[in-house]
Amino acid sequence: MQLSLNSQSSLPLVDQIVIGARNLIDDRVLRPGMRLPPIRTMASEHGVSRFTVVEAYDRLVALGYLQSRRGAGFYVAARQETPALMQRSGEIERAFDNAGVMHQSLETESGRLKVGVGWLPPEWMDEVGVQRNIRTLARRADTKVVSYGTAQGYRPLREQIQIKLGEIGIAAPAGQIVLTVGATQALDMIARYLLKAGDCVFVDDPGYWNLFANLRLYGVNLVGVPRTMDGPDVPALESLLAEHRPKAFFTHSVLHNPTAGNISAAVAFRILQLAEKHDFLIVEDDINADLYPVPTTRVAQLDQLRRVIYVGSFSKTLSANLRVGFLAASPDLAAALTDVKIVSCLSTSEFAERLVYLMLTEGHYRKFTERTQGRLADAITGTLRLLERSGLKIYAEPQGGMFVWAQAPGIADSVHLATQAAQSGILLAPGNIFRPQMQPSPWMRFNVAYALDPRLERFLGEALGR
Amino acid sequence: MQLSLNSQSSLPLVDQIVIGARNLIDDRVLRPGMRLPPIRTMASEHGVSRFTVVEAYDRLVALGYLQSRRGAGFYVAARQETPALMQRSGEIERAFDNAGVMHQSLETESGRLKVGVGWLPPEWMDEVGVQRNIRTLARRADTKVVSYGTAQGYRPLREQIQIKLGEIGIAAPAGQIVLTVGATQALDMIARYLLKAGDCVFVDDPGYWNLFANLRLYGVNLVGVPRTMDGPDVPALESLLAEHRPKAFFTHSVLHNPTAGNISAAVAFRILQLAEKHDFLIVEDDINADLYPVPTTRVAQLDQLRRVIYVGSFSKTLSANLRVGFLAASPDLAAALTDVKIVSCLSTSEFAERLVYLMLTEGHYRKFTERTQGRLADAITGTLRLLERSGLKIYAEPQGGMFVWAQAPGIADSVHLATQAAQSGILLAPGNIFRPQMQPSPWMRFNVAYALDPRLERFLGEALGR
């Protein structure tokens, strides 16, 4: 079979065979009814183990690409009724391997303890304040609620974001800011603009898994850059750059999801040097910016939006429901990304943007974030005690935010613990979902705003036998 | 130069050379400083005219891919500072060739007469009613305004859409409906899921140009299916199917944009037969459904969401600002598209969806659409008279909606008229922007809700010399 396998690639050999065979079948080089090489032949031809081939063939059967005929080997399966759809389904399935947690997270059906989610509980947010501001806004004669917003988004809010970014040392004129449907759409628009199938992209390992699923769907090659307590691991990044030519590095600087660490100024500087030398862009996710009160470094602060695209949001602090996020970029990129926004959703909701603007300017926002920072600090202290009592090892004591990254001793893959937890009505976030290739991980991410519910400690006690 | 040109392709030869050369340069087969074959050599080697090569080289210079050295020929240009970005810019520019109109349309700066836009003027919409409902909603204790919505969108609204679709003969359980950021995001998610670069896609010619820009950005090959007064031209579709294997046909059935025609039952049936035989999906845009009171056929009504994905929106009738649209599809596709939604924007705004639900159920919506249908009927009559007085030829008398498709006699390409109009502060929509490859067109789309402003008649009188 015409396959080129690379044992140096970060993509496991099984995946390489599965993807290669899928492409040959999709492109009709291998046609329905054709027999694949026997496992033994395939293994020796490509210098891989027979187990690798068996696993790849089995996955291709599960994806509907192959049929296994008892004793007679593996054959290319006949096409389904709607091949246009079916051809993609394998890819989608791989892309969404870790989307199950998101589905469960977004379910409103309650009773479940959602220790694994990436946001604050509704009761921590200022529901009443947001509702009051909605009423205020809806009473104003000048509030547009029926016509499209402008392409870049409500200008006064962009000017307010300009001020906020100025406070953390990033000079971003309102003309370089584009409002988006949360940070997720900002990341999506950037990926859509910068990347094409087959491109190499660096991401944090561990990192934001919904982004990984999205990038995989674009058909790009994800390479994980190990994360240390000070940000991306610079020596590891250097050696990865000897092998790969990434178009971009998507990284999360402050209160990193999931480890809760911050990038140091020295690491930010080194990463920018490497970006310059190896000519890639940095997409800096700073979604937790307002949960962290201490002055700290962002890559964009050093670079000033030359090689960095900066992404932020109000979903974690004001409302995830309204879907208001933003990106800041060089003038050219901001213009191009506005075009991407137009073709993919025309415009964002100006009503929601006016609401965010109102809450930023009437003083509500600052008060709320200060109070929340205090509450989170208490919850972190409580969660650290609880996890230590339960015998877990903490990665590092977080300086803020909602996450604690921890592992249970003697457990190499936390997926099993998460499965057990699900049976007890607890949604845990196992470490493997935060890894670019879903590699096993002993770690877990705990949301401190949910973790102090007694059900978690009870479960950990029982599961870990203490 | 390694290029394969196809004179049978719907893509002009100039475009084929430009795209081919760009790819060779992006992939570094052609490197900075290398000289391209002289025009004469290139023309004879590929059996094309010298003018074709000259035009292609000139465009590559304009895109920054080539440098012209006086008397010495054409050379591959040196890379810019951020190649990751620059490599894409040519593609983006092509994709957005016709996005200028959208930028101008979304500008709030007024004084301009926007006869070319695709929506109703704010003063036609029920601004006051929407604001009142926002206040009602914001007073309700059970209104979620801070946390994420569910992945598929607010269920009661999906149930309401199920009822609405039932009324036009489409059985779509709420579980098969996904709420989106307007119809545009629905179309984008479908394209993202179904298509990959190089795929062939059929679209209406003329048709919705913002979709064309989006599809081009996905790198797919757009083939226009000529539109007749009864929907897509079936014999033309049949002969195109002899040459192409499309993955999908994106078509607009009722009050088609821009011709305002409706698909007939016979054409809908034939298209489904062809979709079955040639195995492609139909994406049916029905964004003007609620502007048309008369019972009429949709493709989805015959097919019942087996091979058809149906797309709708409340942007034209309730509020474009809130960004609420939807798609309805087979159970598998609805599930997969929900995954695409999660990775690209997590969720839509449940507040906006609750607002639409409230307005659908309190009777507001039905009253408003009935009144608007009446107003539009009057405006159509007035616009037809005006255009006839100005000597324009009408494509067909619209049965509803906001568009009249017309041409001025003796003008082969309406672009020049649109340029003239822009100088007089009038935004016209020339026919070429509605064509998949921006081919010249004598036609123009007039929005009847803007057309009765005396400035239009004055301009047409002067420009057409009557």
Side-chain angles (χ1 to χ4, degrees), chain A residues 169-429:
Chain A
I170 302 167
Q176 289 175 232
I177 294 168
V178 184
L179 303 184
T180 58
V181 181
T184 305
Q185 196 210 14
L187 295 169
D188 180 55
M189 282 169 22
I190 294 164
R192 174 116 196 253
Y193 181 70
L194 292 178
L195 308 174
K196 51 177 191 270
D199 280 348
C200 173
V201 179
F202 282 10
V203 292
D204 290 331
D205 178 11
Y208 176 43
W209 53 264
N210 197 45
L211 169 70
F212 300 164
N214 194 11
L215 292 172
R216 266 203 294 269
L217 194 54
Y218 280 113
V220 304
N221 176 23
L222 288 188
V223 175
V225 179
R227 187 86 191 182
T228 72
M229 289 178 196
D230 294 328
D233 182 335
V234 173
L237 177 59
E238 280 184 294
S239 52
L240 288 170
L241 285 167
E243 278 179 64
H244 303 278
R245 290 184 55 86
K247 279 273 183 70
F249 179 17
F250 285 74
T251 184
H252 186 173
S253 298
V254 177
L255 299 180
H256 168 252
N257 176 10
T259 66
N262 297 323
I263 197 169
S264 72
V267 168
F269 174 68
R270 285 292 293 132
I271 287 175
L272 273 172
Q273 273 190 321
L274 291 170
E276 198 74 37
K277 183 171 165 198
H278 297 270
D279 200 12
F280 57 87
L281 294 181
I282 295 169
V283 183
E284 182 169 46
D285 180 349
D286 196 14
I287 189 160
N288 290 332
D290 295 334
L291 296 178
Y292 193 65
V294 188
T296 187
T297 307
R298 271 94 182 167
V299 187
Q301 185 196 346
L302 304 185
D303 168 79
Q304 297 296 325
L305 305 179
R306 280 185 196 85
R307 211 166 252 289
V308 175
I309 308 175
Y310 178 91
V311 172
S313 168
F314 299 96
S315 295
K316 303 299 176 197
T317 45
L318 205 155
S319 165
N321 194 299
L322 301 171
R323 315 301 302 122
V324 180
F326 62 91
L327 61 86
S330 70
D332 284 359
L333 268 172
L337 291 166
T338 302
D339 282 344
V340 174
K341 178 179 168 183
I342 289 180
V343 300
S344 57
C345 76
L346 273 183
S347 76
T348 35
S349 169
E350 188 173 299
F351 180 79
E353 290 161 5
R354 281 178 184 257
L355 182 63
V356 171
Y357 171 75
L358 184 63
M359 299 187 81
L360 286 183
T361 49
E362 56 123 48
H364 167 98
Y365 189 73
R366 212 170 283 265
K367 268 180 275 169
F368 173 80
T369 52
E370 278 166 20
R371 194 178 29 154
T372 305
Q373 285 161 9
R375 270 184 97 167
L376 281 170
D378 293 345
I380 289 171
T381 310
T383 303
L384 291 173
R385 279 203 212 109
L386 176 164
L387 295 176
E388 279 161 7
R389 273 200 306 275
S390 306
L392 275 77
K393 185 180 139 199
I394 308 297
Y395 174 77
E397 197 168 308
Q399 303 301 301
M402 58 183 102
F403 300 134
V404 173
W405 189 236
Q407 61 167 289
I411 291 181
D413 184 350
S414 55
V415 150
H416 310 297
L417 204 59
T419 311
Q420 253 180 286
Q423 285 154 4
S424 309
I426 298 173
L427 178 72
L428 280 188

Side-chain angles (χ1 to χ4, degrees), chain A residues 128-149:
Chain A
V128 173
V130 175
Q131 288 187 342
R132 190 184 58 241
N133 279 279
I134 291 175
R135 290 195 300 271
T136 304
L137 195 58
R139 269 194 301 268
R140 290 203 186 155
D142 68 335
T143 302
K144 275 170 61 178
V145 293
V146 296
S147 45
Y148 288 99

Side-chain angles (χ1 to χ4, degrees), chain A residues 83 103 127 145-146 279 319-320 339, chain B residues 83 103 145-146 192 279 319-320 339:
Chain A
H103 273 286
E127 187 98 52
V145 293
V146 296
D279 200 12
S319 165
D339 282 344
Chain B
H103 273 286
V145 292
V146 296
R192 173 118 197 252
D279 202 12
S319 165
D339 283 343

Side-chain angles (χ1 to χ4, degrees), chain A residues 26-28 80-89 91-92 95-96 99 102-103 106-108 118-120 122 125-127 130-132 134-135 137-151 181 184-186 188 192-196 208-211 213-215 217-218 245 247 276 279-281 287 306-307 315-316 318-323 330 332-333 335-336 338-340 342-352, chain B residues 26-28 80-89 91-92 95-96 99 102-103 106-108 118-120 122 125-127 130-132 134-135 137-151 181 184-186 188 192-196 208-211 213-215 217-218 245 247 276 279-281 287 306-307 315-316 318-323 330 332-333 335-336 338-340 342-352:
Chain A
D26 281 349
D27 298 338
R28 307 204 137 239
Q80 302 285 331
E81 205 196 336
T82 48
L85 167 60
M86 293 302 153
Q87 280 176 33
R88 297 283 293 175
S89 70
E91 216 161 296
I92 294 285
F96 294 117
M102 190 44 107
H103 273 286
L106 292 175
E107 267 169 28
T108 43
W119 49 82
L120 295 174
M125 310 287 275
D126 187 5
E127 187 98 52
V130 175
Q131 288 187 342
R132 190 184 58 241
I134 291 175
R135 290 195 300 271
L137 195 58
R139 269 194 301 268
R140 290 203 186 155
D142 68 335
T143 302
K144 275 170 61 178
V145 293
V146 296
S147 45
Y148 288 99
T150 57
V181 181
T184 305
Q185 196 210 14
D188 180 55
R192 174 116 196 253
Y193 181 70
L194 292 178
L195 308 174
K196 51 177 191 270
Y208 176 43
W209 53 264
N210 197 45
L211 169 70
N214 194 11
L215 292 172
L217 194 54
Y218 280 113
R245 290 184 55 86
K247 279 273 183 70
E276 198 74 37
D279 200 12
F280 57 87
L281 294 181
I287 189 160
R306 280 185 196 85
R307 211 166 252 289
S315 295
K316 303 299 176 197
L318 205 155
S319 165
N321 194 299
L322 301 171
R323 315 301 302 122
S330 70
D332 284 359
L333 268 172
T338 302
D339 282 344
V340 174
I342 289 180
V343 300
S344 57
C345 76
L346 273 183
S347 76
T348 35
S349 169
E350 188 173 299
F351 180 79
Chain B
D26 282 349
D27 298 337
R28 308 206 136 234
Q80 302 285 333
E81 205 196 336
T82 46
L85 167 58
M86 293 302 153
Q87 282 177 30
R88 298 284 291 175
S89 70
E91 216 161 296
I92 293 285
F96 293 118
M102 190 45 110
H103 273 286
L106 292 176
E107 268 169 27
T108 43
W119 49 83
L120 295 174
M125 310 285 276
D126 187 6
E127 188 98 49
V130 176
Q131 289 187 342
R132 190 184 58 242
I134 291 176
R135 292 196 299 272
L137 195 59
R139 270 193 302 268
R140 290 208 185 150
D142 68 335
T143 302
K144 276 171 61 178
V145 292
V146 296
S147 45
Y148 288 98
T150 56
V181 181
T184 306
Q185 195 209 17
D188 180 56
R192 173 118 197 252
Y193 180 70
L194 291 179
L195 308 174
K196 50 176 190 269
Y208 176 45
W209 53 264
N210 197 47
L211 169 71
N214 194 11
L215 292 172
L217 194 55
Y218 279 114
R245 291 183 55 87
K247 280 273 183 71
E276 196 74 36
D279 202 12
F280 57 87
L281 295 181
I287 191 163
R306 281 185 193 84
R307 213 165 250 289
S315 295
K316 303 299 175 195
L318 206 154
S319 165
N321 194 299
L322 301 170
R323 315 301 303 121
S330 70
D332 285 359
L333 269 172
T338 302
D339 283 343
V340 173
I342 289 179
V343 300
S344 57
C345 75
L346 274 182
S347 75
T348 35
S349 170
E350 188 172 300
F351 181 79

